[in-house]
Amino acid sequence: MSEASQPNHWKVLMLEDNEDDALLIVNHLETHGCEISWERIETEHDLRAMLRDQQWDVVLSDYTMPVFDGAQALRVVRELTPDLPFVFVSGTLGEKAAVAAIKGGAQDFVVKHDLSRLTPTVERAIADQALQKKHRLAQDVLRKLSQAVEQAADSIFITNRDGEFEYVNPAFEQMTGYQADSTQGHTPSLLKSPEQDPSAYSELWHTVLSKQVYRGTLRNRKQNGETFFEEKVITPLVNPAGQITHFVSTGRDITERVQAEDDRTRLNAILEATTDVVAIADAKGKVIYLNKAGHSLLANARCETAVETASPNASNALDAAHELIRGALAQAEKHGVWERESMLEDASGQGIYLDQVVMAHRDQSGRIAYYSTIARNISERKQFEAELQHQATHDLLTGLANRVLLAEQLQTEMNRSKRLNCLTAVIFLDMDNFKRVNDSLGHSIGDQLLQQVSVRLGRHIRPNDILARYGGDEFVIVASDLQEPDAIPAILDKVKRAFEQPVRIARQDVFVSFSAGVAVYPDDGDSVETLLRNADSAMYQSKANGGRSFHFYAPAMNARQQRLLALESELHWALEREEFLIHYQPQAELESGKVTGVEALIRWNHPEQGLVAPNDFIPLLEETGLIVEVGLWVLRQACQDMLELSRLQGWTPRVSVNLSARQFASGLLAEHVQQVLQETGLAPQQLELEITEQMLINDLDASRKTLEALHALGVTVAIDDFGTGYCSLAYLKRLPLHVLKIDRTFVSELPADSSDMAIVEATILLAHKLDLLVVAEGVETPQQLDTLRALGCDLIQGYYLSKPVTLDALPAATALTL
């Protein structure tokens, strides 16, 4: 019935082929107090349209119509609107047709020639149909409710007020394993599990008997003994008298959820206990979870996005975690998993290094659901790696860069110089006389000296220059951004001035100086190895010239070093192959004018190069240690040659043999000399050994013992190159010496140079006061000879008298007189 419908106020749809009959019916209803609105139709098409487009209170239909009969109309109405009242009003409806109509769903019928029943019939039809509709709807609801209970996924059962099962649905059977017939006469206690706390049941009964709904989770047991967790709602049903008649239980198996929650609880405990940082962020990168370790580690981290809150430490930790994730979101979204190392700073500026994995988690549609990260604090490992790296690239003693780091830094500076079109200088420094410090004060003091030297060097180089310890007492300075090589001497001068003051160590002052070699990129080499090698070569040239100076690299110098390297290899075979020989230079007394002695000078007759200059191979003999063996050979050969000379001309001159520093410091010199004299038979007074001032002062106590042993043998000892070293004159009277040899540098300018004249004169007077003979070397002119004779010199040696000659030519040279 439409909302506007009231009793006796109807909307009537009339199926009538006779318009007069229709008017008659309408008139009858209106005269009997009915207020109607109506439409007359004759066809099935119109009927369907009217039922589809409008709502009606009743259908009044003729039974027999030429186009569309009443039985067919009734079927259409019941098809489209089952609850719409339908009454036949016909003049031709027989008893049989009337019964068929009622069975077909018509509410009643009225004959046209007697309409007295029409109004009450319509009223009753409308009322009855409304009641049937209500009943049908209720049945429909009940049917749906029953279907819902039967098909529900949740377990449902109903008990009487005593708790005995009256109904269980299929979901209950499936969940518990108990079939409906097996529950009859039982209560839900058959589901009790011994693992369930009994207090839960007390709470349950107290709730439902109080006519309240119970909600809770019970641990129950299935028919097969398996336990499960059930989320349960029990509702007491109360009748109008307020009495409980039944209990309705709905339940759901939540075992998986409980286990998942247990897993999550355990997982959360693990996450909170782990020392790794664990964080979860939403799809936009906002951190929504941070574990305990994360809060602890990141609470003091510096963050760009820090926000002040009531809990600053917690907020700061979340901000730091956000920064950790934010930088990796794009890569994590692209690759799914992104691994990297991250670094944050704490409040003190120290780095917090993290080994981090960031993962993107997607939902079923493929969209990012959230991000997670696990980060391990690797600060200690990084520090250890840095220490290892530092040890691998830095000298342990001084803390300076070592060879490995020097090579890397030098290559970087070379690349930079090439790009900027400037120069880079490699300055190779070698400490002068460092071995003397080690030998006299010990290696521990030597190490302390190297440490202090490295500190002083570091303070006196330019801020951007590189300082490295190359090894031993060798240092390297790399000076960059140079426009001209002329800037290099200023750098070296600054280093020199840095050591004008001595280094105080072990309660004494140690004066430090360097021999330096310089190679310049790109002129002197285009590789690290070449530059270092060439700077080293230049440094050795500085050493060869007396040290305390610097030399620039020159290609000729490098070629010479290569030649010396080849000679060094061949030197090892020279003695065995008898390639060494001795030349002798006569010494003459000025008083008698006769030759009384000779100096033995070693020569190397190379099979391919001929005679090799002494300055090219004697330093190599010193460096390789062969000088001891070769020096002993010279000593023995000179003694034998003097005896051969005596045999040939019946006269034996005194022979002077130069000693190396290694020979003199070996501690076996006196023993070797005695052995040679015994083997050869040369008289000790015919042998003179030449040493330098430097040999004496290296170890004065050892020097005194050696000289005393030689003196006891009767051998003469001469100081060679006197005046060029640093010997105190006081040692001359303390040591058993016999001869002073004035170096050629003081003789070459005589008599013109007054300074040299004064030095030579003073030396002669000093020597004579100490009962020492004086030999002047390098005499080449008559003027030099006359000057030395006038000054009282004892002997001369030099080209004026004779060049060094072989033993065969020596008789002729010794026959000369002045």
Side-chain angles (χ1 to χ4, degrees), residues 102-114:
I102 297 302
K103 289 182 178 180
Q107 272 63 48
D108 210 338
F109 63 90
V110 177
V111 294
K112 287 182 178 180
H113 60 270
D114 184 8

Side-chain angles (χ1 to χ4, degrees), residues 425-439:
V426 177
I427 304 171
F428 211 105
L429 301 173
D430 184 273
M431 290 176 61
D432 297 321
N433 302 317
F434 178 71
K435 184 177 183 299
R436 187 196 314 164
V437 176
N438 264 345
D439 292 345

Side-chain angles (χ1 to χ4, degrees), residues 408-436:
E408 295 177 0
Q409 294 176 327
L410 178 54
Q411 184 63 62
T412 300
E413 292 303 320
M414 290 165 59
N415 296 340
R416 186 167 174 270
S417 293
K418 183 176 182 180
R419 187 172 65 254
L420 300 179
N421 194 28
C422 58
L423 304 177
T424 293
V426 177
I427 304 171
F428 211 105
L429 301 173
D430 184 273
M431 290 176 61
D432 297 321
N433 302 317
F434 178 71
K435 184 177 183 299
R436 187 196 314 164

Side-chain angles (χ1 to χ4, degrees), residues 693-732:
E693 296 173 85
Q694 190 63 49
M695 294 182 195
L696 291 176
I697 65 174
N698 281 341
D699 190 336
L700 288 174
D701 291 337
S703 297
R704 181 182 291 106
K705 292 178 182 179
T706 300
L707 292 175
E708 289 174 350
L710 293 174
H711 184 71
L713 292 175
V715 174
T716 301
V717 177
I719 299 297
D720 193 16
D721 301 333
F722 182 78
T724 60
Y726 307 97
C727 184
S728 170
L729 297 178
Y731 297 133
L732 294 178

Side-chain angles (χ1 to χ4, degrees), residues 627-696:
I627 192 67
V628 175
E629 184 178 1
V630 174
L632 185 58
W633 175 85
V634 172
L635 180 63
R636 181 180 292 107
Q637 189 63 44
C639 292
Q640 290 175 350
D641 286 349
M642 291 304 100
L643 291 175
E644 177 67 15
L645 185 64
S646 177
R647 186 183 65 82
L648 293 176
Q649 63 180 36
W651 171 74
T652 306
R654 182 185 70 256
V655 62
S656 294
V657 178
N658 290 280
L659 296 179
S660 71
R662 286 178 181 267
Q663 283 178 287
F664 188 73
S666 67
L668 300 174
L669 178 60
E671 180 182 340
H672 288 165
V673 171
Q674 184 180 16
Q675 182 180 355
V676 169
L677 292 175
Q678 289 175 351
E679 290 176 358
T680 61
L682 183 70
Q685 61 270 20
Q686 295 301 116
L687 177 62
E688 182 176 279
L689 300 177
E690 295 189 14
I691 61 175
T692 65
E693 296 173 85
Q694 190 63 49
M695 294 182 195
L696 291 176

Side-chain angles (χ1 to χ4, degrees), residues 426-594:
V426 177
I427 304 171
F428 211 105
L429 301 173
D430 184 273
M431 290 176 61
D432 297 321
N433 302 317
F434 178 71
K435 184 177 183 299
R436 187 196 314 164
V437 176
N438 264 345
D439 292 345
S440 60
L441 301 179
H443 289 279
S444 176
I445 300 300
D447 287 346
Q448 293 179 45
L449 177 61
L450 289 172
Q451 290 172 333
Q452 293 197 35
V453 166
S454 67
V455 172
R456 193 176 293 189
L457 281 172
R459 288 201 301 258
H460 288 82
I461 62 175
R462 301 182 310 166
N464 294 330
D465 289 348
I466 298 166
L467 176 62
R469 184 186 178 202
Y470 199 71
D473 60 341
E474 297 174 330
F475 296 87
V476 172
I477 298 173
V478 177
S480 304
D481 299 327
L482 303 175
Q483 300 302 319
E484 296 291 340
D486 294 343
I488 299 173
I491 298 173
L492 289 163
D493 183 61
K494 192 174 181 181
V495 171
K496 179 182 178 182
R497 286 188 285 108
F499 290 94
E500 289 178 348
Q501 296 299 320
V503 176
R504 185 70 177 176
I505 191 168
R507 297 184 179 180
Q508 56 186 300
D509 292 335
V510 178
F511 285 89
V512 176
S513 63
F514 294 94
S515 298
V518 182
V520 180
Y521 173 83
D523 297 337
D524 298 332
D526 58 0
S527 71
V528 170
E529 295 78 8
T530 304
L531 281 174
L532 288 171
R533 184 173 64 249
N534 291 343
D536 187 40
S537 297
M539 184 274 294
Y540 273 104
Q541 181 64 35
S542 177
K543 279 282 189 187
N545 292 339
R548 296 175 177 267
S549 62
F550 70 89
H551 275 73
F552 281 88
Y553 169 76
M557 181 196 310
N558 193 47
R560 180 173 177 274
Q561 292 296 323
Q562 294 294 329
R563 176 172 170 267
L564 292 180
L565 183 63
L567 289 176
E568 179 182 337
S569 176
E570 295 171 348
L571 266 178
H572 288 274
W573 301 101
L575 187 60
E576 181 180 339
R577 295 170 179 171
E578 299 181 350
E579 295 174 359
F580 290 120
L581 52 87
I582 300 177
H583 285 185
Y584 296 94
Q585 188 172 33
Q587 297 174 341
E589 290 181 345
L590 288 179
E591 184 177 352
S592 65
K594 295 181 179 180

